Amino acid sequence: MRYCQRCVCPENYAIPLTFDEQGVCSACRVHEEKESIDWKERENKLRTILDKYRSTNGKNYDCIIPVSGGKDSHYQTYLIKVIYGMNPLLVTFNHEMNTKRGLRNLTNLVKRFELDHLRFTPNPAAIKKLSIYTIRRMGDMFWHSHCGIYTYPVQIAVKYNIPLIIWGEQGFMDLGGMFSHFDMVEMTKKFRVEHGLRGYDWQDMLSEENDITPKDLFWAMYPTDQEIDRVDVRGIYLGNFIPWNHKIQTELMIKKYGFESGPPHRSFNLYENVEDHVSNGLNDYLRYLKFGYGRATDHASIDIRFGRMSREQGIAMVEKYDHQEPYDLDIYLKWTGLVKKDLFEAVEKMRDRQAWKKISSGDWKLIDSITNHLDDPGVEVSRLPLNPDSYYILQPNPPLPEPKEYQFM
Ligand SMILES: [Zn+2]
């Protein structure tokens, strides 16, 4: 397989990448745009948009911020409330695979920024059925979370007549370079289904055999075109207006607002995905079983683009973390009643044969990884004398104990 010559992304990356003649991927090239953009002008554009939606009669919220309680939720809320003086409604879809720390962060967010907050918890029994179904169907145990996050805030926009939804960074732009900063993409119904939900909508989840009916999925139903038109719903990404830099932003939120970072889980990055067990854990491990790479590849690639890590250090992080078995595997098995073999069987047909080979014992062997490509020339951005395992701050330190189960509420 080919690997980006600057970061550590493989050619079978889940967000489709392209490589240029130097072997540098589209995500790295889109990242370079951050250097040439006139951010002052972008910020002025943002202020103009916010002013347009600011409630003039004081009878409604100015906007919605979808929040999980993670680092970006804190930073989005900080910008919108503190810097730009808006009155947002915070909206959370409860994915139910919460860490204790994630819940503390969510509470912290609402209390510290003194805002109204609406949180929707779907029926846990329905979520369990859905998670088992989606793991078998697409090797994804967390589809319900993506669906809820991309749907529920839009339902609330329609119900409460709040046209403006403010999202954080555009993940497919930052992680995969699928869009440019010059496209000024906004959140749409098409993006939600094609990318956010892997092409599956709620109707595709109905299953007699698994007893999944429409009443399990009201929260997953995107408003109609007429409803969207009536309220004139619009979803903007702050990453198009503000030069997004998660490490600096998160450290500001730790210092100023008490955001808690998390202990390492299959990555050196202690700021990302603190709020749930599975994004760095089992759900990402399933990606590793399918494609041969995992979360440390994402995190190292981002840090390489920012010049915080050399490619060599990034490869060392991939080698150290991507294959690690997640601690939440047991939590999930206990919750669902599945056995480990079921999970491996579910992803068996999705194994990318470029990365994996079935050996005579019946086990799978990783045959292609960036660690097999150490002779590639590589295009270095920087080579810093930093240890990536220590430059993320664990706060509070030492970590508070995590219960070994999901926190549904
Ligand atoms: Zn790259």
Side-chain angles (χ1 to χ4, degrees):
M1 272 195 294
R2 290 173 74 194
Y3 293 81
C4 175
Q5 294 300 297
R6 174 169 296 164
C7 68
V8 291
C9 285
E11 99 177 84
N12 69 345
Y13 200 61
I15 302 171
L17 295 170
T18 53
F19 293 95
D20 66 13
E21 61 287 348
Q22 282 182 283
V24 174
C25 79
S26 41
C28 286
R29 291 302 184 206
V30 165
H31 181 87
E32 284 176 2
E33 295 170 0
K34 290 186 177 178
E35 301 295 315
S36 61
I37 288 170
D38 179 350
W39 289 107
K40 195 69 221 158
E41 188 221 330
R42 291 283 176 115
E43 197 199 358
N44 288 338
K45 276 191 180 147
L46 174 64
R47 284 180 189 275
T48 307
I49 294 171
L50 298 182
D51 284 342
K52 183 179 163 199
Y53 289 95
R54 215 181 281 272
S55 169
T56 45
N57 60 11
K59 286 188 176 160
N60 203 354
Y61 300 97
D62 297 332
C63 59
I64 284 172
I65 309 180
V67 294
S68 62
K71 61 178 183 33
D72 285 349
S73 306
H74 277 70
Y75 193 67
Q76 283 160 257
T77 306
Y78 162 72
L79 284 180
I80 295 305
K81 161 105 200 255
V82 179
I83 302 297
Y84 300 119
M86 302 278 279
N87 178 30
L89 173 64
L90 305 180
V91 176
T92 302
F93 176 81
N94 179 7
H95 50 63
E96 303 188 3
M97 292 177 177
N98 302 295
T99 58
K100 195 108 183 149
R101 188 176 299 253
L103 294 176
R104 284 200 302 272
N105 276 329
L106 185 62
T107 307
N108 179 65
L109 175 74
V110 178
K111 277 169 72 177
R112 292 296 291 268
F113 290 100
E114 300 182 350
L115 288 166
D116 290 347
H117 178 219
L118 196 54
R119 183 166 183 252
F120 179 83
T121 300
N123 167 8
I127 293 302
K128 192 196 289 186
K129 286 187 287 188
L130 194 57
S131 180
I132 294 171
Y133 184 54
T134 55
I135 214 168
R136 288 195 172 129
R137 185 150 179 196
M138 61 183 99
D140 184 346
M141 62 185 282
F142 214 36
W143 181 89
H144 70 272
S145 174
H146 310 304
C147 182
I149 287 167
Y150 286 123
T151 309
Y152 186 66
V154 185
Q155 289 184 352
I156 292 303
V158 167
K159 284 197 174 98
Y160 281 65
N161 285 304
I162 308 169
L164 183 64
I165 306 177
I166 301 183
W167 305 87
E169 62 176 347
Q170 218 298 344
F172 285 71
M173 177 166 81
D174 279 271
L175 277 174
M178 184 181 270
F179 312 106
S180 154
H181 289 87
F182 298 102
D183 296 332
M184 298 298 281
V185 288
E186 299 196 355
M187 169 32 195
T188 61
K189 180 178 171 182
K190 185 165 183 269
F191 169 82
R192 168 186 166 273
V193 173
E194 286 185 9
H195 306 305
L197 307 190
R198 301 172 179 267
Y200 297 92
D201 211 333
W202 67 270
Q203 298 93 333
D204 302 305
M205 298 300 146
L206 298 176
S207 161
E208 222 168 275
E209 196 190 332
N210 294 275
D211 186 32
I212 303 172
T213 65
K215 78 172 170 40
D216 296 318
L217 293 161
F218 291 150
W219 50 268
M221 298 173 186
Y222 201 73
T224 63
D225 290 350
Q226 289 77 10
E227 288 171 320
I228 297 283
D229 275 354
R230 179 179 60 75
V231 180
D232 207 6
V233 177
R234 176 178 187 189
I236 60 168
Y237 292 99
L238 285 175
N240 280 324
F241 303 96
I242 304 289
W244 216 251
N245 186 331
H246 72 88
K247 188 166 184 292
I248 290 171
Q249 291 164 193
T250 308
E251 280 162 13
L252 182 69
M253 293 301 102
I254 289 173
K255 228 169 96 189
K256 232 175 136 122
Y257 292 100
F259 173 76
E260 289 182 29
S261 53
H265 187 200
R266 303 186 67 254
S267 179
F268 56 93
N269 185 321
L270 309 184
Y271 302 164
E272 298 271 356
N273 309 315
V274 178
E275 57 273 28
D276 68 78
H277 293 281
V278 308
S279 292
N280 278 10
L282 181 57
N283 201 44
D284 187 62
Y285 187 62
L286 294 171
R287 173 169 64 155
Y288 171 74
L289 297 180
K290 287 182 276 184
F291 301 111
Y293 76 92
R295 192 62 82 191
T297 293
D298 300 338
H299 294 164
S301 293
I302 291 169
D303 277 4
I304 290 167
R305 290 174 203 139
F306 274 107
R308 290 193 283 262
M309 188 185 278
S310 69
R311 189 168 186 268
E312 213 178 348
Q313 287 169 323
I315 293 171
M317 292 297 105
V318 170
E319 196 169 13
K320 178 172 176 180
Y321 289 105
D322 272 0
H323 66 90
Q324 289 184 0
E325 200 170 273
Y327 73 73
D328 59 312
L329 176 62
D330 290 338
I331 298 177
Y332 188 75
L333 296 179
K334 196 173 135 201
W335 180 55
T336 54
L338 296 173
V339 293
K340 201 169 162 183
K341 200 170 134 270
D342 297 331
L343 295 187
F344 282 80
E345 269 173 22
V347 293
E348 173 106 3
K349 57 184 180 300
M350 301 166 207
R351 295 259 193 178
D352 185 340
R353 304 300 173 113
Q354 295 178 96
W356 293 101
K357 189 179 176 199
K358 199 166 193 172
I359 53 176
S360 50
S361 64
D363 292 333
W364 289 87
K365 186 175 186 284
L366 186 65
I367 51 165
D368 202 335
S369 144
I370 193 159
T371 55
N372 309 129
H373 293 261
L374 299 180
D375 296 335
D376 290 357
V379 183
E380 286 284 0
V381 182
S382 69
R383 185 178 293 270
L384 302 175
L386 285 171
N387 174 8
D389 263 326
S390 66
Y391 69 68
Y392 283 89
I393 305 162
L394 181 58
Q395 184 73 25
N397 198 10
L400 301 173
E402 274 295 344
K404 293 286 174 220
E405 58 187 23
Y406 299 133
Q407 301 281 300
F408 294 110
M409 305 299 279

